[in-house]
Amino acid sequence: MTHEFKKIVNEAIFAKSNGQKSVLASVVALDGSSYRRPGVRMLILENSKMIGAVSGGCVEKEILLQSESVFKTGESKIMTYDGRYRLGCEGVLYILLEIFNPNDSFVNQFKKCLKDRKTFEIQSYYDKKEGVISGIGSYVKINDSAFSISGNIIKTQNKSLSVFKRKMPPCFKLIIIGAEHDAVQLCNYAALTGWEVTIVSGVSESKTITDFPGANHFHAISAEQMNIDLIDNQTAIVLMTHNFANDLRYLVVLKDASPNYIGLLGPTKRREDVLSQFIEYCPNIDDDFLEKIHGPAGLNIGAETPQEIAVSIISEILAVVRKHEPMALSKKTGRIHTS
């Protein structure tokens, strides 16, 4: 969700620079089930433009109508949306609406937090009652600082209010090592998923970042020049240079990094050969690192085209990161979301 909030913040900053107010809508509680869970947010601008969504479409129209009074008065309020009779989800959403007024101090700290890949927290104080309620609103906590979303003082000591807290980890990052056509497709689909994408190309490749729609960073470097300092457990890496020796060189460099996932392109035999030589170069490598290596990369969904393979790889990364065993939802018993 961090990438969604990042987009919301950027849109709010841009709107403010153009003299427009914005309202943040946050789902803070849920009775029953819903299309999305508490913690999801969207932004509404004075010109009625909406950024993001909290459900499938009907809720957003109601939020737009309810936001009008917040724009007029500046007072935060709670609205509810009962989907049992309209969406068939049998759930009641409790949505906090508040002016989003990002000041310079918040903007600077927020951008630094994202750049340094640090976790921040959003705390929303609310009550399960409709209307304007004293003390409700949200804080963004970055390190030891707390920034009010609306700029108003929030009565955090009010014991009658509930609080919804959400830890926001760094934006998920995908590093694609390779610059062929299939890397372009994987980059495109990963960007659509909301991931930050870095392309690592060989020094002899005649490619630039413009060849990779959606990429955030592009580096034409050798394996030995690769900086692994910002590779963390919110990072996935896919080795797809289509060159056995190059894949092996990059894997050796990555041995001191801590990604969540490493994918190897190619058949099982190729993976076995790469790992065999890798262990010869790095005989003391931890088993934990080896368990992060997945090859052939992707889920078995019958993918054939580069686009389908990209979907397969992204699906496997999500399953690994979220610690879910892939299965058809039609065969799952109970709730879709376990938390």
Side-chain angles (χ1 to χ4, degrees), residues 179-180 201-212 218 220:
E180 300 299 333
S201 167
V203 292
S204 62
E205 296 277 359
S206 57
K207 302 286 180 66
T208 68
I209 195 170
T210 58
D211 296 304
F212 297 89
F218 178 90

Side-chain angles (χ1 to χ4, degrees), residues 5 9 12 16 22 24 26 74-76 96-107 109-110 121-125 135-142 144-156:
F5 189 66
V9 171
K16 185 176 180 179
S22 57
L24 180 68
S26 307
E75 293 183 304
S76 304
L96 169 63
L97 302 179
E98 57 190 320
I99 290 289
F100 193 0
N101 185 27
N103 60 35
D104 291 342
S105 180
F106 164 73
V107 171
Q109 287 292 321
F110 183 71
E121 184 176 75
I122 303 177
Q123 297 182 355
S124 296
Y125 292 82
I136 62 174
S138 301
Y139 275 119
V140 180
K141 295 193 70 177
I142 304 174
D144 296 326
S145 301
F147 301 92
S148 170
I149 286 289
S150 63
N152 297 327
I153 297 175
I154 300 167
K155 296 181 180 179
T156 60

